[in-house]
Amino acid sequence: MDSNQLSSPAGGFTSTRFILVEPSHPGNVGAAARALKTMGFSRLVLVAPRVADVKNEPEAIAMASGADDVLAGAQVVDTLAEALVGVRWSVALTARTREYGPPHMPPRAVAQRAHEFVRHGDIALVFGNERTGLSNADVERCSALAHIPANPAYSSLNLAQAVQVLAYELRIAFQDAAPAPSVAATAQQSASSDEIEGMYAHLEEALVALDFLDPANPKKLMSRVRRLFARSGLEHEEVNILRGIAKHILLRTNKD
């Protein structure tokens, strides 16, 4: 471990997950592992890779080029929900404009914000499939949205290149000074991804019980609700309050 890594926030390099959702090409998975290791990261998570045993594919091993340990240690899960369990703050990387979704941030701002959260739990950067990117549902599971401002005349970035850009920005941010105490306190109190997803499911159930949400014609109601709360940055107690409201709505509607 070098001196730069030692001076980073406690656990910063080990508390950051890089999540690849349904990667198609073994070579990109190996190259992503190499990109992480060059910047001091090691936590690679693969969500439903198109090649089942991708970690042992010769192309993946060749492209890892010395980062075989990162590739071999990659966690493989079935869903993004599983990949985000325990994550306090997450960012969806996308090249497409979204009508709904969490707040948008440039990569450098993402890195600075990440610096605030790694002291208090895991964070995650989420990358989509090489051809189709992330689904709207995957984007809505994340805390923020980021886009790499590449040359508009030729903005096509390889998956591993995108991982390299964000890993570099995070490395630089993790070497900076500590965040202001008030900002660090906010990060410490923030709710995790699975807590927030549980709250959304509970709230949706309550809205259906009130006949405010028609499950047969939901339109974009829950997407708008997600965007509203994503802008605020929910804390543990706020999630508990909202779940308490949902619980009492369900209790009352069940009596009627």
Side-chain angles (χ1 to χ4, degrees), residues 161-180:
Q161 292 172 333
V163 170
Q164 185 79 73
V165 170
L166 269 296
Y168 168 78
E169 291 289 352
L170 285 175
R171 183 174 180 83
I172 296 303
F174 287 176
Q175 296 173 36
D176 286 347

Side-chain angles (χ1 to χ4, degrees), residues 209-221:
L210 282 174
D211 293 326
F212 188 80
L213 172 61
D214 179 2
N217 187 28
K219 299 183 179 178
K220 295 290 185 179
L221 178 61

Side-chain angles (χ1 to χ4, degrees), residues 159-203:
L159 173 59
Q161 292 172 333
V163 170
Q164 185 79 73
V165 170
L166 269 296
Y168 168 78
E169 291 289 352
L170 285 175
R171 183 174 180 83
I172 296 303
F174 287 176
Q175 296 173 36
D176 286 347
S182 61
V183 175
T186 299
Q188 187 173 17
Q189 296 163 6
S190 63
S192 67
S193 173
D194 34 315
E195 287 176 317
I196 292 172
E197 286 302 317
M199 180 273 291
Y200 284 136
H202 203 173
L203 187 59

Side-chain angles (χ1 to χ4, degrees), residues 130-148:
E130 294 93 329
R131 187 175 65 84
T132 59
L134 291 168
S135 69
N136 288 335
D138 287 342
V139 168
E140 289 180 358
R141 278 191 174 272
C142 296
S143 313
L145 184 65
H147 169 65
I148 297 171

Side-chain angles (χ1 to χ4, degrees), residues 18 31-44 70 163 167:
F18 287 78
R34 180 179 182 180
L36 295 191
K37 188 163 184 175
T38 61
M39 294 294 113
F41 297 95
S42 61
R43 296 186 67 183
L44 181 62
V70 176
V163 170

Side-chain angles (χ1 to χ4, degrees), residues 18-26 28-29 44-52 54 75-81 83 126-135 137-138 159:
F18 287 78
I19 301 173
L20 310 186
V21 178
E22 299 181 4
S24 299
H25 305 299
N28 284 338
V29 173
L44 181 62
V45 184
L46 310 176
V47 178
R50 298 293 174 85
V51 178
V54 65
Q75 181 184 6
V76 180
V77 297
D78 293 328
T79 66
L80 180 57
V126 183
F127 300 80
N129 172 269
E130 294 93 329
R131 187 175 65 84
T132 59
L134 291 168
S135 69
D138 287 342
L159 173 59

Side-chain angles (χ1 to χ4, degrees), residues 61-166:
I61 294 169
M63 292 300 291
S65 187
D68 310 67
D69 53 336
V70 176
L71 178 63
Q75 181 184 6
V76 180
V77 297
D78 293 328
T79 66
L80 180 57
E82 292 177 76
L84 290 174
V85 168
V87 167
R88 190 172 293 274
W89 190 73
S90 57
V91 182
L93 274 292
T94 179
R96 291 190 286 121
T97 302
R98 310 285 175 141
E99 182 181 2
Y100 299 101
H104 181 276
M105 305 172 72
R108 192 149 298 175
V110 164
Q112 291 299 326
R113 187 69 170 159
H115 184 199
E116 302 159 11
F117 282 91
V118 289
R119 295 173 177 271
H120 311 292
D122 281 5
I123 64 167
L125 278 75
V126 183
F127 300 80
N129 172 269
E130 294 93 329
R131 187 175 65 84
T132 59
L134 291 168
S135 69
N136 288 335
D138 287 342
V139 168
E140 289 180 358
R141 278 191 174 272
C142 296
S143 313
L145 184 65
H147 169 65
I148 297 171
N151 175 9
Y154 186 67
S155 60
S156 177
L157 273 174
N158 173 272
L159 173 59
Q161 292 172 333
V163 170
Q164 185 79 73
V165 170
L166 269 296

Side-chain angles (χ1 to χ4, degrees), residues 196-237:
I196 292 172
E197 286 302 317
M199 180 273 291
Y200 284 136
H202 203 173
L203 187 59
E204 183 173 1
E205 184 182 359
L207 294 175
V208 170
L210 282 174
D211 293 326
F212 188 80
L213 172 61
D214 179 2
N217 187 28
K219 299 183 179 178
K220 295 290 185 179
L221 178 61
M222 289 308 298
S223 292
R224 289 186 170 95
V225 169
R226 283 174 173 271
R227 182 173 61 177
L228 169 67
F229 288 125
R231 286 201 301 267
S232 66
L234 289 166
E235 299 177 359
H236 295 292
E237 287 304 316

